[in-house]
Amino acid sequence: MSQANTLRLMAVDADDLKIISAACQDGVCKPADIAYEARKRRFLIEFNRFRWENGESDAQQRVRSALSLEDVTGVKARGLPPKSADLVLSLMSVEWEEGDEAPSGQFRLIFAGDGELVVSADCLDATLVDVSQPWPAKNRPTHKE
């Protein structure tokens, strides 16, 4: 894969995570693409990310990406289908809420339709990596104001 087409971002604070969140917006996946590896203390979600970094150009593209959250201590789901479901989920944002004892806190992954994953972690440590070549996207995601 060409390095020119590869996005690789790391977040260690809330400002960094805002950049990752913007890149993840409108990423689509299925419940089976979400994994919590308790022994490795890692949460992983793979999804087809819309390449917002292309701006308003005619080159609308998606790319397969992986978001990894480290030092994870637990995951709770609300309003999401079971892992066996064949529904498509649309990731809207990734947020960080500090806990009572810094640097611990919670990642909140918000999905369209009010679904949410709350990922508890000892610290904010996130990585977003493109893992495929981009392909043409049929539509540009839109949102109601």
Side-chain angles (χ1 to χ4, degrees):
M1 182 166 62
S2 166
Q3 292 296 325
N5 290 333
T6 303
L7 186 68
R8 182 176 183 85
L9 300 173
M10 295 177 67
V12 294
D13 63 34
D15 288 336
D16 293 345
L17 192 63
K18 288 177 185 175
I19 295 167
I20 286 180
S21 180
C24 292
Q25 184 177 347
D26 298 304
V28 293
C29 68
K30 294 191 176 184
D33 295 325
I34 300 170
Y36 172 40
E37 301 169 341
R39 283 202 161 138
K40 293 182 180 179
R41 295 173 35 103
R42 176 181 302 136
F43 174 85
L44 183 67
I45 178 171
E46 290 189 41
F47 56 98
N48 297 339
R49 183 178 72 77
F50 187 81
R51 295 187 73 215
W52 289 107
E53 64 270 23
N54 286 352
E56 295 291 328
S57 74
D58 290 334
Q60 297 182 132
Q61 297 176 326
R62 285 200 178 264
V63 64
R64 189 74 172 165
S65 299
L67 175 64
S68 176
L69 308 177
E70 303 296 330
D71 298 315
V72 172
T73 58
V75 178
K76 294 180 183 175
R78 181 186 61 79
L80 292 176
K83 198 168 188 84
S84 61
D86 199 32
L87 298 173
V88 175
L89 304 173
S90 181
L91 182 59
M92 301 310 296
S93 68
V94 181
E95 302 168 359
W96 175 256
E97 293 179 353
E98 286 192 20
D100 293 336
E101 294 184 33
S104 69
Q106 297 178 328
F107 292 95
R108 293 183 62 228
L109 285 76
I110 310 297
F111 294 86
D114 294 328
E116 176 180 26
L117 285 169
V118 177
V119 182
S120 300
D122 286 338
C123 64
L124 194 161
D125 184 355
T127 305
L128 176 66
V129 180
D130 289 346
V131 295
S132 76
Q133 289 291 332
W135 64 87
K138 294 178 184 176
N139 299 309
R140 181 181 188 83
T142 58
H143 301 273
K144 294 179 181 178
E145 296 291 325

